[in-house]
């Protein structure tokens, strides 16, 4: 009987996440995954299930990381407007630094799979709603400090920022003229 090699499951999952993030579900082969994860197929199946189950685990790992990252960035400055502006411009800066921008794994999944698979539609929709909650919390903080008007519709504004975030992130994959993106960011921030 062949003995399966031991490996760090979290490291392997992180490696799989990078492959799926870069290639998408359909284009990522089992060979790509096992090579990046430094494991054999039997170990992959035993630890993670099939390719779709591995993808789901990688996507959920990403959404937890991404939400934590967004929360941290929205809380990084005393000014809500500055924090949101800094978050959006940081995305653009990253995309234009010369490296291939992978965009957002969750948005990539939404574009690739949400219309074909209800499970992934739900996961990506849940993440969008959670991001809206994070933006809403930041906006409400701004209304409490007096930085933002007390009578604004915080929920609608937060949802608009998520829509802007998704649109800008998708656009950044094609790297349009930077001024195009900067104008879109400034228009989104002007809603505040």
């Amino acid at each position: 009987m062949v003995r399966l090699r031991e490996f760090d499951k979290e490291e392997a999952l992180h490696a799989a996440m990078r492959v799926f993030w870069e290639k998408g579900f359909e284009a990522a082969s089992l060979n790509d995954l096992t090579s990046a994860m430094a494991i054999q197929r039997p170990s992959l199946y035993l630890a993670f299930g099939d390719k779709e189950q591995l993808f789901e685990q990688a996507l959920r790992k990403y959404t937890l990381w991404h939400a934590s990252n967004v929360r941290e960035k929205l809380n990084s400055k005393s000014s809500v407007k500055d924090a949101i502006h800094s978050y959006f411009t940081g995305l653009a800066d990253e995309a234009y630094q010369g490296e291939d921008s992978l965009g957002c794994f969750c948005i990539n999944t939404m574009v690739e799979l949400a219309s074909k698979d209800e499970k992934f539609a739900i996961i990506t929709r849940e993440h969008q709603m959670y991001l809206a909650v994070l933006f809403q919390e930041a906006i409400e903080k701004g209304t409490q400090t007096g930085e933002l008007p007390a009578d604004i519709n915080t929920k609608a504004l937060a949802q608009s920022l998520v829509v802007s975030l998704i649109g800008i992130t998708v656009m950044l994959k094609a790297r349009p003229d930077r001024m195009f993106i900067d104008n879109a960011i400034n228009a989104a921030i002007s809603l505040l």
Side-chain angles (χ1 to χ4, degrees):
M1 183 161 131
V2 176
R3 184 170 184 263
L4 298 178
R5 193 179 82 126
E6 292 184 20
F7 62 94
D8 184 314
K9 190 173 176 181
E10 280 305 305
E11 282 182 24
L13 184 57
H14 183 78
M17 181 181 73
R18 290 294 298 179
V19 171
F20 284 130
W21 192 353
E22 184 179 319
K23 294 186 172 209
F25 176 75
E26 295 293 336
S29 71
L30 284 174
N31 287 340
D32 294 332
L33 292 163
T34 55
S35 175
M37 297 166 76
I39 63 174
Q40 300 297 318
R41 284 187 191 199
S43 296
L44 184 151
Y45 293 128
L46 238 138
F48 302 102
D50 64 15
K51 180 181 170 184
E52 184 175 316
Q53 291 169 317
L54 175 61
F55 184 84
E56 181 179 351
Q57 291 173 58
L59 180 60
R60 289 187 185 281
K61 178 179 177 69
Y62 173 85
T63 59
L64 290 173
W65 169 83
H66 186 246
S68 175
N69 186 40
V70 171
R71 179 182 296 280
E72 181 181 312
K73 290 185 178 179
L74 293 179
N75 291 322
S76 67
K77 300 187 182 304
S78 58
S79 164
V80 171
K81 286 182 183 180
D82 287 349
I84 294 172
H85 189 265
S86 177
Y87 175 67
F88 275 86
T89 56
L91 293 172
D93 291 344
E94 188 178 296
Y96 287 102
Q97 286 178 347
E99 298 176 21
D100 286 337
S101 174
L102 298 177
C104 170
F105 181 24
C106 190
I107 294 171
N108 296 348
T109 301
M110 181 182 65
V111 171
E112 181 185 11
L113 297 176
S115 65
K116 302 176 204 171
D117 189 315
E118 183 63 21
K119 174 176 36 180
F120 295 114
I122 291 168
I123 294 169
T124 58
R125 192 167 44 244
E126 286 172 348
H127 188 59
Q128 294 161 25
M129 290 187 303
Y130 190 72
L131 292 178
V133 168
L134 294 178
F135 279 115
Q136 186 173 353
E137 288 173 356
I139 295 164
E140 287 171 353
K141 179 179 148 191
T143 62
Q144 292 164 1
T145 63
E147 180 183 0
L148 301 175
D151 64 342
I152 61 174
N153 184 336
T154 60
K155 184 176 184 177
L157 184 52
Q159 291 170 343
S160 294
L161 288 173
V162 171
V163 170
S164 295
L165 172 64
I166 292 169
I168 289 168
T169 302
V170 171
M171 290 292 296
L172 283 170
K173 290 189 68 93
R175 288 202 186 131
D177 181 76
R178 177 67 191 250
M179 188 61 71
F180 186 95
I181 294 297
D182 288 341
N183 288 338
I185 290 170
N186 292 332
I189 301 307
S190 74
L191 296 172
L192 298 170

